[in-house]
Structures are given as structure tokens and as C-alpha cells.
């Protein structure tokens, strides 16, 4: 019988349907075609009280089944149909006829990789299942929503909880899980009955196949006459797609253990007991950070504000207890007599004898070499996992040597992730390919976790494949912008209207210019300087008005917030905003009218600020210059045009501003930055050199810093609780140990009690015989720094920026490439009355959450950029044969040193031990610090000479091999080659207290 279509009810303001409440627990008519019931559930408040909540719940009879052209269902234009009238898809030996698939919650959670495969089509996703997935895994929920939104997949979301014939009440004594399982089975039966009434052209009944890996649920379904299979049964039945079996997640660990069955790891404490233990103080909760240099060591950063035991060392396989990098874990502190020191040994897992636990124990003993008692740190063991942070991992297959074996080890690109055991029939095809693998579980009797194959990315070494890997490994959102996002861009041709001019100042008459690196198309900022009548100077920083185009809360704004920052790779830019904005409408290109947000100062000749004002503006840049072109104008006596005069005025003031900052204690740090010169046809690097900075680089930087400080003060004055600011915490004194010791070894004193004292002692740390020493000290100082972070002023009390010696700071000057700047623009616009506010802008909790994401995205962008440099460095040396260069020792380890080659900005770990070769006599002195190899002593900052070659024998972790030429180590048995690993995909280890490893400025 064809159901009547429901008539829409009157709407309340805000779009919610008006209704009359039915008596509690009863059914009543709420509107035509719908019935009203109520749902009761218990909810815990923030204060811990339990309250009973009763909500109205509409039941409808006009919700369609989703099958195309179903004659029994009403047509609803607001709800797109997903299922094909005659289901197409992979041929199944179990279900030869046309069929739809209906998975339960656990199957969807664990087998999302299968469901995303193009072969799997015509799937019914119940509301019950979606709601459970949403509460249990936000990433999987987003993935299934994306699949449902893909018209080619024919997935349909059926609102069974609001359909009169599929909604069920929870029975007395029935658990929520059992009620939901029953609701799913009721929906499957309804679909089966419903589809029997539809006859297709071939008069074949369309079956609904229930997919579940829950044994009890499957048994009940079969008893009720439902066709049900496990995921594995169904996927193995697909006649033409045998490779799809590789993508099955291993949900049960039965049969997947290593053959010996020997228990390797302690049992994890159940979650309920962990929570009790954390509450009582027996256990500590924190984030697990694996070491990149030593697979038998990790650090747990304890959550909370307590200073004591903030960082706990974990050493040894059993104590690591199956935790994976970035998991949230519970740890138990060991007795003080069991505490250890952070290891100076570099140990990497070769994965060749996975059953040889005795060998692992021997390696663990190496870590326990006697150490200074002052070096001992709080030490613990992982007792349980609170939350897994597993993600799909990129890497390569280490094919088993056993002929026709299906079980192989997968080696992740990131050395902090353990090897993963997978089953695949495609080993021959996947060898030499970059692939993605997901972890399914880690049983107690398995040396490595179990997982499954997800996707083949392409050949290892291929430039596009490697770029894709580094973007995925560093979680950089890089998919093309969706049509929904692009729909919020201005329509072309675009021009400035009278409406746009409201609240704006016309500054097109000013001689404004931009100064940027060569080839820059996303020009955020422009400058001007001119004399005014009273002998003072007017200086303006004009920033692209991106917030005019990106309005709060739409899809374009949401996508920009998610991306957080533009990512600059060696040959590619991953934009935060679509190209129409980044390279065109927002970019302050020359000789076109552009909307800007201007910060204008009146200054005297001593660069003292007499007046500051902020205004939305319209500008017309008179020149887009590179740093070199701007420098040439400043230096050329023959050039005296308005732009050149403006640049000279800016440069003069910038020098004064910089001196003031340094006098206040601002740090001038150093880090090698490299530039590649690419072949115009192959796009391979043909030259590599460190970037040369000019006066104009410093000139632009000074005015950007000044604008950021001025805007920070303004938005904080107006919004003391809601200002988005940036701070740079002072490093703890222990961070400077390595710097102080290294300087002392050269008879220099570095004072670290304040930024000013540090800056002054760095200025004095000169050696006439060793001019590069000061640069090395500044590079080392950069490594001691904390990471600068965004925060909301209402959630913190420490605003100080240590590196810049500024009491307050923010980011305002780069809104095309940083989302933080867009928020700051919005705050400033409201502060000067140029725009209206919105709720999220004055919600400090939401701003704190936003800051957290921005800090994460900025960190990942830095790591991705560094990985891109590493990969292109390898490409450069690939064709160079042997290169002989000077190098300096930056760090000394127990069995390795870290060297820097200034010419290339190349840095890496140099090992003094090689597998299957005699170990040389090594004597490590942590106080100097120095390492003596067979009588030859190597100290921090020593100059050495090396021969550089690329070792591509391990395509995943290619190495720059360095042969030590000077000083020559004569003793036999010493490795002839020292290797510095330049893996393109490993983030730097998060050193003590989150040491900043970035090549970027602390700004």
C-alpha cells in the first residue's frame, strides 16, 4: 500500500518544528503522517549528578527505502536516493542474485577500508549504526559520511530510528547494545519484506545481506530467517576480486599469533581499573612518544599541570607493552632504584629475527650501561592503553623469504612506528611499492601488531609518490577543494563595489610596494613610507583582507580552519585557501586594486611611534619586488623614484627597530635554510645552496613584527578574554645543558638566566681562529628553544614571547597562508567597528580548541617541509657520485655523532657501529661532550672532512653515506663509512620539554 506524504509542520524561529507534547511514554499524533513518542535516557551533568532526560521522538511513515524508483515509497526531493534499482557490483559466489548490503556498527568501524573500495556498492547504512559510529570514532564517521555523499558508490543512509515500522523501544533489562543489535535486525527484516513487493525487470527478488562479525548477532539473525554473513565470508565470495581479501581488518586475533604462542607482553589492565588507578594516583595518564633513534625507548608526557614526573622514560620491550606512538596510555612509576637515564645509544629494529626475544633482552642490557646518577629520570612501565591513536601508515612491504608465504612484515616510513604483520596474496606486486597499512590489533604473544593492506600509492622513489607519502605521513590535508567549498568564492569577473568601500579608506594614491621571495604569488603584505608635513614619517603595513572573502561559519571558512596553514614543499604549495583567493583576488599584486587591512604609524626619525591607527583600506601596489630587487634599488645611487625613496626610509627605520629589539633582549638565532635550483624540464634539483639573507629580508621582518605587536595590543585591549595571541615560553634551564657544555669546551661562557643575558653572551662568543663558531652556537641555541604556540588570552596568564622579548604578540600579517591571522583580522575589524562579531569569536573555549588545531597543523607543516627538503637533497646527491666537503660536529652521542655540512645545510646522525662488523672501542664523555673512537677524540664543534655519497640500497630509508676523511681513524675494524640517515618521512624526535627542532624562526 502506498503511504501518504507527510505535510510540513509550522516552523518556529530558528527552523525547529513546532509540536504539542504527548503524554510521557505514550504515542500520539504530532502531525499528518507522523506519530509522536518520547525517548527517556539518563545523562551525567558536568557536576557529576545523574539526571533523567525525556525527549520528543517523531515516527514517520514517509521515509523512503532509498531504492531508485521504488513504487512503494514517496518521492522526497530533499532526500537524495542512493541505491540502484537493480544493484550492480561485484559478483558473489554466496549471493549470485542482486543484493544490497547492510553492515552493523562494529563491521563499519573496523572494515571501513573495505567499504570505501570502489568494488563495494549499494550499501544501506542505518541511522542506529551511524549514531554509534559517530560516538565511537569521529574519523570513521567522517569517512562513512564522505562515502554516503559519493553518488558513484550508491550508499544510502536510512533513518530507521524515525521510521514507524523500524523504530523499537528498549525492553526491560535489555542493554543499549542489545537493543541496537535488535533494531538493526528489525530494519533488515523490514527491508527484506519491503523489497519482496518490488519486482524488477528480470522478476528477481532483491536480497538484503546482513554483514556482521558479531557471532551472537549473526546467530540470532539466522534464527530469525535473515541472510547473514561475516565480512570475511562475503569478501572471500567475490569471484573477480580476490585481492580485496588483503584489505580485511583482522578483528579477532585468533590464528594470527606467532607460531610459538609464547607470551611476550604483560596483560593490559582493563579500562575501568585504569580509570580508578588514575583517580587514586596509582597510575599516571599521558601521551606515549616513541623514540626515532631507539626502538626500545619511549617517553610518556603526563597530562595535567603537575610539574613533578611530567616526563616519564619507558625502556625495554615489556615495559613499552604494545603502545604505539601518540597513544594515550596509563603508566606505573617504577621504584627509584629502577630509574634509568635517557639512552645515548642509537638502536634500530632490523626486524629480521622477530622470535628472538633473547636478542631483544641483550639489546636492552646495552641501555643499562652505568650512567651518572644525576642523569636518572622518572621511569615507568605502560600498564594499559586508554585510547589508541592508530592511523593508516605509509611504508613498504618487507617480503617474507618463505616461498609463497602470505604473511609478511610491513616497515613503516616513520621509524617510531613498529613493523606490522599483514597477510597478502599480492606480495610480488607490492614489492618496491609505497603502500598504506592499518593496524588491527596487537596480541600479547606477538612481537609486532597485526594489520591489513589498505592501498598502493605507487613506486618507491617516484617523485609524485614520495610527495604523497610525506603529505599523508604528516597529516597534511591536500585533497582538491570540494565544490561545496568553491561555491563560496566570489563570482568572476570580480571588482570592488561601492558596498565594499564602506568602512574603507582609499589609499590607492600611496606608493605601496611588496617585497617577497622570487616566484611568490600569494603576496600577503605590502609597505609604504613617506614624509609628512611635520617632519615625521608615515609608515604603513598593508595586509591582504582575506576575511572580507572568507565569512564565518561557511564551508570555505571551515575548510580553511581545518587546514590551518599553507604548506610549502620544494616544488609544490598546498594552499590553505583556493587559488582564486591565494594567487589572485587576495594577493597584493602590483598595478591592480586590492582590498587590504592597514596598520599605519606616525614615527619620528628615531623610529619612535607617535600614533597608531588601523583601517580597512583599498590599495594599488606600485611594484612587486624580490628581496634582491629591493636591495638593488636601495643600494643604487642612480635610482631615486618614489618607491626607492620609500624603501630607503623603511630600511633606515628597520635598522633602528632591530637594534631596539636586540637591546631589549630579542634573540638572533640561526638555522641553515637551503634553496634548490631545479632543472626546467625534469624538475630534479641541479644545485643546492644555503639561502643568503639580505638587508631587505630583515627590513620586511621588522615591520611585520611591529605590526603583529601593535595588533596584539589592540585586540587584547578590546577583548581581554578572547584575543588570539602567540607566545614563546622560556625554556627550562636544563634545556641549555648541551649548549653551555659545548661552549665551555671552547672556553666560552654562555649565560642563560634571561633572554637578554643569553643574547649578550652569544654576541660575545667569538673566536678569531674559528669564525663559524658563533653561527654553530646560534644553531645549537635554536635547538634549545620551546615551540611558539597560539593561545586564547582568557585561558592563559603568561603572554610573554621569549625569542622576540615582547610582552605580547600575535600573527596578523599572513592571512592568505595562516588561519590564525584571519581570526585576528576579524577581532581587529570588530574592535575598530569595521565588521560585526559572531558567537564563536567570543567563546574562549572554542578559541582554545581552534588554537590547539592550529598548533598541530603548524607543527605538521614544518615537519612536511623538512621532509621535502630531505627528499630533494637525496635526489641532488643521487647523480653526484662522491662529494668531499667540510662538516662540523653538532651533537655527540654514546655511539654516534650528528654533523652539519654548512654548504648544503645538510645534517644527520653518523653511526660508528655497523651490523656484522667489529665494534670499535668507543669512550663517551657526557661532560665535555666528546666521543673517543679507537683513540681519536671527536668533540662538539670539531671541524671534520667527509666524502658524501647516496646509499640507495634501502629505498625506503635512503642514506647519505659519509666516509670520514679527516681526522683519519687508523685502527682496524672501524667502519670505513659513517652513514647519516636522511629519511624523508620521519618527524624529528620530540626532545625533552618539546624542544624546537624547526628550521623556522621562533616567531
Amino acid at each position: 500500500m502506498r503511504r501518504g506524504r507527510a505535510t510540513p509542520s509550522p516552523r518556529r524561529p530558528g527552523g525547529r518544528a513546532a509540536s504539542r507534547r504527548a503524554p510521557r511514554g505514550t504515542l500520539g499524533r504530532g502531525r499528518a503522517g507522523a506519530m509522536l513518542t518520547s525517548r527517556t535516557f539518563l545523562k551525567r551533568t558536568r557536576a557529576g549528578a545523574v539526571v533523567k532526560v525525556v525527549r520528543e521522538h517523531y515516527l514517520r511513515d514517509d521515509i523512503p527505502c532509498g531504492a531508485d524508483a521504488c513504487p512503494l515509497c514517496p518521492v522526497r526531493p530533499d532526500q537524495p536516493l542512493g541505491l540502484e534499482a537493480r544493484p550492480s557490483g561485484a559478483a558473489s559466489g554466496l549471493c549470485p542474485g542482486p543484493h544490497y548490503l547492510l553492515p552493523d556498527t562494529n563491521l563499519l568501524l573496523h572494515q571501513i577500508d573495505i567499504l570505501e573500495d570502489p568494488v563495494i556498492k549499494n550499501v544501506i547504512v542505518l541511522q542506529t549504526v551511524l549514531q554509534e559510529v559517530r560516538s565511537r570514532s569521529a574519523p570513521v564517521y567522517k569517512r562513512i559520511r564522505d562515502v554516503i555523499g559519493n553518488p558513484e558508490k550508491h550508499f544510502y543512509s536510512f533513518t530507521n530510528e524515525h521510521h514507524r515500522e523500524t523504530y523499537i523501544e528498549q525492553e526491560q533489562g535489555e542493554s543499549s547494545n542489545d537493543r541496537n543489535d535488535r533494531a538493526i535486525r528489525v530494519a533488515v527484516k523490514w527491508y527484506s519484506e519491503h523489497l519482496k513487493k518490488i519486482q524488477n525487470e528480470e522478476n528477481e527478488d532483491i536480497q538484503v545481506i546482513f554483514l556482521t562479525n558479531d557471532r551472537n548477532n549473526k546467530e540470532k539473525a539466522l534464527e530469525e530467517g535473515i541472510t547473514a554473513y561475516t565480512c570475511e565470508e562475503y569478501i572471500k565470495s567475490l569471484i573477480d576480486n580476490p585481492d580485496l581479501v588483503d584489505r580485511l581488518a583482522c578483528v579477532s586475533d585468533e590464528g594470527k599469533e606467532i607460531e610459538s604462542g609464547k607470551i611476550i607482553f604483560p596483560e593490559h589492565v582493563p579500562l575501568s581499573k585504569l580509570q580508578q588507578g588514575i583517580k587514586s594516583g596509582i597510575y599516571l595518564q599521558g601521551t606515549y612518544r616513541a623514540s626515532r633513534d631507539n626502538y626500545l625507548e619511549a617517553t610518556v608526557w603526563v597530562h595535567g599541570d603537575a610539574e613533578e614526573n611530567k616526563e616519564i622514560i619507558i625502556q625495554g620491550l615489556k615495559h613499552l607493552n604494545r603502545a604505539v606512538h601518540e597513544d594515550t596510555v596509563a603508566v606505573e612509576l617504577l621504584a627509584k632504584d629502577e630509574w634509568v637515564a635517557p639512552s645515548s645509544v642509537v638502536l634500530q629494529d632490523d626486524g629480521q629475527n622477530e622470535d628472538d626475544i633473547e636478542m631483544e633482552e641483550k639489546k636492552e642490557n646495552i641501555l643499562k650501561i652505568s650512567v651518572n646518577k644525576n642523569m636518572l629520570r622518572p621511569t615507568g612501565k605502560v600498564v594499559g592503553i586508554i585510547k589508541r591513536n592508530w592511523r593508516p601508515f605509509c611504508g613498504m612491504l618487507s617480503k617474507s623469504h618463505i616461498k609463497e608465504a602470505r604473511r609478511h612484515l610491513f616497515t613503516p616510513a616513520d621509524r617510531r612506528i613498529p613493523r606490522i604483520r599483514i597477510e597478502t596474496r599480492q606480495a610480488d606486486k607490492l614489492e618496491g611499492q609505497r603502500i598504506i597499512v592499518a593496524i588491527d590489533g596487537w596480541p600479547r604473544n606477538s612481537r609486532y601488531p597485526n594489520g591489513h593492506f589498505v592501498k598502493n600509492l605507487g613506486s618507491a622513489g617516484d617523485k609524485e609518490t614520495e610527495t604523497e607519502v610525506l603529505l599523508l605521513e604528516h597529516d597534511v590535508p591536500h585533497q582538491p577543494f570540494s565544490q561545496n567549498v568553491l561555491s563560496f568564492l566570489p563570482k568572476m569577473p570580480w571588482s570592488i563595489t561601492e558596498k565594499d568601500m564602506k568602512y574603507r579608506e582609499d589609499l590607492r594614491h600611496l606608493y605601496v610596494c611588496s617585497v617577497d621571495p622570487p616566484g611568490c604569488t600569494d603576496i600577503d603584505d605590502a609597505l609604504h613610507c613617506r614624509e609628512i608635513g611635520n617632519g615625521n614619517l608615515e609608515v604603513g603595513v598593508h595586509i591582504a583582507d582575506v576575511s572580507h572573502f572568507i565569512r564565518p561559519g561557511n564551508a570555505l571558512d571551515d575548510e580553511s580552519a581545518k587546514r590551518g596553514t599553507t604548506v610549502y614543499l620544494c616544488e609544490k604549495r598546498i594552499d590553505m585557501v583556493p587559488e582564486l583567493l591565494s594567487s589572485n583576488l587576495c594577493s597584493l599584486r602590483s598595478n591592480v586594486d586590492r582590498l587590504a587591512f592597514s596598520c599605519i604609524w606616525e614615527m619620528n626619525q628615531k623610529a619612535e611611534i607617535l600614533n597608531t591607527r588601523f583601517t580597512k583600506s583599498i590599495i594599488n601596489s606600485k611594484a612587486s619586488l624580490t628581496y634582491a630587487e629591493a636591495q638593488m634599488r636601495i643600494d643604487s645611487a642612480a635610482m631615486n623614484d618614489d618607491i626607492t625613496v620609500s624603501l630607503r626610509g623603511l630600511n633606515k627605520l628597520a635598522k633602528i627597530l632591530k637594534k631596539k629589539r636586540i637591546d631589549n633582549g630579542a634573540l638572533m638565532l640561526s638555522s641553515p635554510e637551503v634553496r634548490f635550483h631545479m632543472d626546467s624540464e625534469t624538475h630534479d634539483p641541479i644545485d643546492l645552496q644555503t639561502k643568503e639573507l639580505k638587508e631587505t629580508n630583515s627590513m620586511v621582518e621588522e615591520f611585520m613584527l611591529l605590526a603583529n605587536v601593535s595588533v596584539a595590543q589592540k585586540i587584547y585591549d578590546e577583548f581581554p578574554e578572547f584575543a588570539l595571541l602567540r607566545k614563546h615560553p622560556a625554556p627550562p634551564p636544563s634545556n641549555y645543558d648541551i649548549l653551555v657544555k659545548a661552549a665551555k669546551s671552547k672556553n666560552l661562557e654562555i649565560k642563560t638566566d634571561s633572554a637578554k643575558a643569553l643574547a649578550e653572551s652569544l654576541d660575545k662568543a667569538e673566536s678569531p681562529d674559528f669564525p663559524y663558531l658563533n653561527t654553530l652556537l646560534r644553531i645549537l641555541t635554536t635547538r634549545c628553544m620551546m615551540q611558539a604556540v597560539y593561545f586564547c588570552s582568557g585561558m592563559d596568564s603568561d603572554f610573554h614571547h621569549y625569542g622576540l622579548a615582547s610582552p605580547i604578540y600575535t600573527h596578523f600579517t599572513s592571512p592568505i597562508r595562516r588561519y590564525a591571522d584571519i581570526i585576528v583580522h576579524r577581532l581587529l575589524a570588530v574592535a575598530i567597528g569595521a565588521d560585526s562579531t559572531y558567537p564563536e569569536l567570543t567563546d574562549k573555549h572554542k578559541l582554545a580548541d581552534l588554537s590547539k588545531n592550529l598548533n598541530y597543523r603548524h607543527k605538521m607543516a614544518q615537519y612536511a617541509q623538512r621532509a621535502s627538503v630531505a627528499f630533494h637533497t637525496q635526489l641532488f646527491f643521487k647523480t653526484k657520485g662522491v662529494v668531499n666537503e667540510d662538516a662540523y660536529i653538532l651533537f655527540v652521542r654514546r655511539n654516534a655523532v650528528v654533523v652539519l655540512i654548512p654548504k648544503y645545510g645538510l645534517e644527520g646522525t653518523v653511526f660508528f657501529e655497523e651490523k656484522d662488523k667489529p665494534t670499535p672501542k668507543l669512550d663517551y664523555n657526557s661532560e665535555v661532550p666528546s666521543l673517543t673512537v679507537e683513540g681519536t677524540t671527536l668533540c662538539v664543534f670539531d671541524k671534520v672532512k667527509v666524502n658524501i655519497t647516496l646509499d640507495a640500497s634501502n629505498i625506503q630509508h635512503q642514506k647519505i653515506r659519509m666516509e670520514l676523511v679527516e681526522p683519519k681513524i687508523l685502527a682496524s675494524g672501524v667502519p670505513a663509512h659513517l652513514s647519516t640517515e636522511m629519511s624523508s618521512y620521519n618527524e624529528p624526535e620530540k626532545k625533552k620539554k618539546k624542544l624546537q627542532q624547526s628550521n623556522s624562526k621562533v616567531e
Side-chain angles (χ1 to χ4, degrees), residues 522-809:
D522 52 343
I523 303 171
D524 286 287
D525 54 89
L527 300 148
H528 89 273
C529 175
R530 63 173 182 168
E531 283 200 19
I532 48 181
N534 57 7
N536 290 332
L537 299 165
E538 178 189 85
V539 178
V541 166
H542 311 277
I543 305 300
D545 189 4
V546 182
S547 63
H548 173 84
F549 297 95
I550 299 180
R551 303 307 296 165
N554 65 26
L556 176 56
D557 184 44
D558 291 345
E559 181 66 20
S560 304
K562 185 182 90 172
R563 294 186 178 217
T565 181
T566 293
V567 181
Y568 295 90
L569 306 181
C570 292
E571 274 193 281
K572 193 175 186 177
R573 189 179 81 202
I574 312 296
D575 281 327
M576 180 185 81
V577 300
E579 193 178 13
L580 178 65
L581 297 183
S582 66
S583 296
N584 187 351
L585 302 185
C586 291
S587 185
L588 303 182
R589 303 187 301 185
S590 55
N591 303 312
V592 289
D593 292 349
R594 286 291 178 258
L595 302 179
F597 210 147
S598 300
C599 174
I600 300 170
W601 304 277
E602 182 182 342
M603 292 182 180
N604 61 22
Q605 300 291 340
K606 295 178 183 176
E608 293 167 338
I609 297 170
L610 307 173
N611 182 37
T612 306
R613 66 189 181 92
F614 307 97
T615 179
K616 291 241 179 179
S617 61
I618 175 170
I619 65 167
N620 187 300
S621 172
K622 303 300 183 281
S624 299
L625 305 173
T626 65
Y627 290 115
E629 288 167 348
Q631 192 68 54
M632 185 192 70
R633 281 176 175 257
I634 290 168
D635 295 341
S636 171
M639 298 189 77
N640 288 294
D641 58 281
D642 291 314
I643 287 293
T644 304
V645 170
S646 174
L647 286 168
R648 287 190 186 126
L650 289 165
N651 198 40
K652 181 185 169 188
L653 292 169
K655 288 177 181 177
I656 302 170
L657 290 168
K658 185 172 184 176
K659 185 177 183 307
K660 284 181 183 175
R661 281 199 312 110
I662 291 170
D663 290 346
N664 282 337
L667 295 172
M668 296 295 119
L669 302 182
S670 180
S671 56
E673 292 189 51
V674 298
R675 168 166 289 152
F676 293 94
H677 295 276
M678 302 293 186
D679 184 288
S680 57
E681 291 183 9
T682 65
H683 298 286
D684 285 338
I686 52 175
D687 194 16
L688 168 61
Q689 53 193 215
T690 49
K691 291 180 185 176
E692 183 192 346
L693 298 180
K694 301 184 181 298
E695 267 187 9
T696 44
N697 290 82
S698 179
M699 176 190 81
V700 172
E701 182 183 18
E702 286 306 316
F703 285 107
M704 297 306 112
L705 294 175
L706 188 62
N708 287 336
V709 170
S710 297
V711 170
Q713 193 61 58
K714 177 68 176 176
I715 61 172
Y716 177 63
D717 290 344
E718 292 288 332
F719 304 105
E721 290 286 301
F722 315 119
L724 183 66
L725 302 176
R726 188 164 175 82
K727 69 173 179 177
H728 181 222
S734 58
N735 277 23
Y736 287 122
D737 287 351
I738 184 70
L739 174 68
V740 172
K741 285 178 183 176
K744 191 179 176 183
S745 72
K746 299 296 178 187
N747 298 315
L748 296 169
E749 185 184 11
I750 298 291
K751 294 181 178 175
T752 61
D753 42 324
S754 70
K756 189 171 175 61
L758 177 61
E760 287 173 353
S761 55
L762 282 171
D763 287 341
K764 291 174 188 170
E766 299 280 357
S767 171
D769 305 326
F770 189 0
Y772 195 64
L773 176 62
N774 191 264
T775 304
L776 288 169
L777 283 166
R778 291 180 191 276
I779 290 170
L780 209 52
T781 306
T782 305
R783 309 303 167 87
C784 300
M785 293 295 117
M786 304 284 278
Q787 180 69 51
V789 291
Y790 297 109
F791 68 101
C792 174
S793 59
M795 304 290 280
D796 210 325
S797 56
D798 176 20
F799 295 7
H800 189 73
H801 197 295
Y802 180 81
L804 299 174
S806 176
I808 194 166
Y809 192 68

